[in-house]
Amino acid sequence: MSTDSPAIQAVLWDIDNTLIHSSPLHHRIVADWCRQRGYPLMSGEFEVLQDKSLAQQYGLLRQMFAFDDDIQTFTGQCIHHYRRALRWDMRRKAPLETFKRIEALGIPQVCVADGELELVTANLRVLEIEDEIKFFISGADVRGGKPHPEPYEQALSRLGLPPESCLAVEDSLTGVESAAAAGIATIAWPLPGADIARFHRADLVIAFLGDFPWGLLRRQQSRTFFFT
């Protein structure tokens, strides 16, 4: 690709655990819900639920435990407790600072999630970026959640951009797989302590603000040249 190629035209962000460290809260709320009904959730069982929407978690929990509550009760109560317990200090400082710097460059940004609409909007309010993104994708917009590419394909369609002109930032394997399957160059920015060797489908794995490929935003380089 020549040096006259256009710069990245949009950055697509995951939310949960990428911009806001929400997994402990999700874990606690679901574990409390199960325990209150006499079904203590073991750590190994919760690992199966990670990176899943509440609807997906409900389906898996029904396979583990024979509780009577319907999906509306489960999701409604979990959403209620999540929104009440969400705090501003759960925000990830370096990724959010990166978001703000990209905003200052005038590059459009969107958020691509597959969780419940109410959870996505609650996270955006705490992050205080509602007015800075062009739009967001939630589970209400798609049939196939991550790792299916549909969330990112929907975002590309609304942006009216080809995948090669965009950059995605994700924290999880399922998220990276979703963006990569949509043809988007993907940065993995996992939580501290994650096994970075697992992110083999990501074009780049970073840990700090200074690792972010700012040059890629100013002038698109050959992917092979930049990421090796």
Coordinates of all heavy atoms in Angstrom, one line a residue, residues 14 16-17 23 46-54 56-57 114 145-147 170-175 198:
D14 N -15.0 -1.7 21.3 CA -15.7 -2.5 22.2 C -15.9 -1.7 23.5 O -15.2 -0.7 23.7 CB -15.0 -3.8 22.5 CG -15.7 -4.6 23.6 OD1 -16.9 -4.9 23.4 OD2 -15.0 -5.0 24.6
D16 N -17.4 -3.2 27.1 CA -17.1 -4.0 28.3 C -15.7 -4.5 28.4 O -15.2 -5.2 27.5 CB -18.1 -5.2 28.4 CG -19.4 -4.8 29.0 OD1 -19.4 -4.1 30.1 OD2 -20.4 -5.1 28.4
N17 N -15.0 -4.0 29.4 CA -13.6 -4.4 29.7 C -12.6 -3.8 28.8 O -11.4 -4.0 28.9 CB -13.4 -5.9 29.8 CG -14.1 -6.6 30.9 OD1 -14.2 -6.0 32.0 ND2 -14.7 -7.7 30.8
S23 N -16.3 -6.5 34.2 CA -16.5 -8.0 34.4 C -16.7 -8.3 35.9 O -17.5 -9.2 36.2 CB -15.4 -8.8 33.8 OG -14.1 -8.3 34.3
F46 N -18.7 -19.9 36.2 CA -18.8 -18.5 35.7 C -17.9 -18.3 34.5 O -18.2 -17.5 33.6 CB -18.4 -17.5 36.8 CG -18.7 -16.1 36.3 CD1 -20.0 -15.6 36.4 CD2 -17.8 -15.2 35.9 CE1 -20.4 -14.3 36.0 CE2 -18.1 -14.0 35.4 CZ -19.4 -13.5 35.5
E47 N -16.8 -19.0 34.4 CA -15.9 -18.9 33.2 C -16.6 -19.2 31.9 O -16.4 -18.6 30.9 CB -14.7 -19.8 33.4 CG -13.7 -19.3 34.4 CD -12.5 -20.3 34.6 OE1 -12.5 -21.3 33.8 OE2 -11.7 -20.1 35.5
V48 N -17.6 -20.1 32.0 CA -18.4 -20.4 30.8 C -19.3 -19.3 30.4 O -19.6 -19.1 29.3 CB -19.3 -21.7 31.1 CG1 -20.2 -22.0 29.9 CG2 -18.4 -22.9 31.5
L49 N -19.6 -18.4 31.4 CA -20.5 -17.3 31.1 C -19.8 -16.0 30.6 O -20.5 -15.1 30.2 CB -21.3 -16.9 32.4 CG -22.1 -18.1 33.1 CD1 -22.7 -17.6 34.4 CD2 -23.1 -18.7 32.2
Q50 N -18.5 -16.0 30.8 CA -17.8 -14.8 30.4 C -18.0 -14.4 28.9 O -18.0 -15.3 28.1 CB -16.3 -15.0 30.7 CG -16.0 -14.9 32.2 CD -14.5 -15.0 32.5 OE1 -13.7 -15.4 31.7 NE2 -14.2 -14.5 33.7
D51 N -18.0 -13.1 28.7 CA -18.1 -12.6 27.3 C -19.5 -13.0 26.7 O -19.6 -13.0 25.4 CB -17.0 -13.0 26.4 CG -15.6 -12.6 27.0 OD1 -15.6 -11.5 27.5 OD2 -14.7 -13.3 26.8
K52 N -20.5 -13.3 27.5 CA -21.8 -13.6 27.0 C -22.8 -12.5 27.4 O -22.7 -11.9 28.5 CB -22.3 -14.9 27.6 CG -21.4 -16.1 27.3 CD -21.4 -16.5 25.8 CE -20.8 -17.9 25.6 NZ -19.4 -18.0 26.0
S53 N -23.8 -12.3 26.6 CA -24.9 -11.4 26.9 C -25.7 -12.0 28.1 O -25.6 -13.2 28.3 CB -25.8 -11.1 25.7 OG -26.5 -12.3 25.4
L54 N -26.5 -11.2 28.7 CA -27.4 -11.7 29.8 C -28.3 -12.8 29.2 O -28.6 -13.8 29.9 CB -28.2 -10.6 30.4 CG -27.4 -9.7 31.4 CD1 -28.3 -8.6 31.8 CD2 -26.9 -10.5 32.5
Q56 N -27.7 -14.8 26.8 CA -26.9 -16.1 26.6 C -26.6 -16.7 27.9 O -26.7 -17.9 28.0 CB -25.7 -15.7 25.8 CG -25.9 -15.3 24.4 CD -24.6 -14.8 23.7 OE1 -23.8 -14.1 24.4 NE2 -24.4 -15.1 22.5
Q57 N -26.3 -15.9 28.9 CA -26.0 -16.4 30.2 C -27.3 -17.1 30.8 O -27.2 -18.2 31.5 CB -25.6 -15.3 31.2 CG -24.2 -14.7 30.9 CD -23.8 -13.7 31.9 OE1 -23.8 -14.0 33.1 NE2 -23.4 -12.5 31.4
D114 N -22.5 -6.1 22.0 CA -23.6 -7.0 21.7 C -24.4 -7.4 22.9 O -25.2 -8.3 22.9 CB -23.1 -8.3 21.0 CG -22.1 -9.1 21.9 OD1 -21.8 -8.6 23.0 OD2 -21.7 -10.2 21.5
G145 N -24.4 -12.5 18.1 CA -23.4 -11.7 18.9 C -22.0 -12.2 18.6 O -21.8 -13.1 17.9
K146 N -21.0 -11.5 19.2 CA -19.6 -11.8 19.0 C -19.4 -13.2 19.6 O -20.1 -13.6 20.5 CB -18.8 -10.8 19.8 CG -18.9 -9.4 19.4 CD -18.2 -8.4 20.3 CE -18.4 -7.0 19.9 NZ -17.7 -6.1 20.9
P147 N -18.6 -14.1 18.9 CA -17.6 -13.8 17.9 C -18.2 -13.7 16.4 O -17.4 -13.6 15.5 CB -16.7 -15.0 18.0 CG -17.6 -16.1 18.4 CD -18.6 -15.5 19.4
E170 N -10.4 -4.1 20.9 CA -11.2 -5.1 21.7 C -10.3 -5.6 22.8 O -9.1 -5.5 22.8 CB -11.5 -6.3 20.8 CG -12.8 -6.1 19.9 CD -14.0 -6.4 20.7 OE1 -13.9 -6.8 21.9 OE2 -15.1 -6.2 20.1
D171 N -11.0 -6.2 23.8 CA -10.2 -6.8 25.0 C -10.3 -8.3 25.0 O -9.5 -8.9 25.7 CB -10.8 -6.3 26.3 CG -12.1 -6.9 26.6 OD1 -13.1 -6.6 26.0 OD2 -12.2 -7.8 27.5
S172 N -11.2 -8.9 24.3 CA -11.5 -10.3 24.5 C -11.2 -11.1 23.2 O -11.2 -10.5 22.1 CB -12.9 -10.6 24.9 OG -13.8 -10.2 23.9
L173 N -11.1 -12.4 23.4 CA -10.9 -13.3 22.2 C -12.1 -13.3 21.3 O -12.0 -13.2 20.1 CB -10.6 -14.7 22.6 CG -9.3 -15.0 23.4 CD1 -9.2 -16.4 23.8 CD2 -8.1 -14.7 22.4
T174 N -13.3 -13.3 21.9 CA -14.5 -13.3 21.1 C -14.7 -12.0 20.3 O -15.1 -12.0 19.2 CB -15.8 -13.6 22.0 OG1 -15.8 -12.6 23.0 CG2 -15.8 -14.9 22.6
G175 N -14.3 -10.9 21.0 CA -14.4 -9.6 20.3 C -13.4 -9.5 19.2 O -13.7 -9.0 18.1
R198 N -2.8 -15.6 23.6 CA -4.0 -16.2 23.1 C -4.6 -15.3 21.9 O -5.5 -15.8 21.2 CB -5.0 -16.3 24.2 CG -4.6 -17.2 25.4 CD -5.6 -17.1 26.5 NE -6.9 -17.5 26.2 CZ -8.0 -17.2 26.9 NH1 -7.9 -16.4 27.9 NH2 -9.2 -17.7 26.5

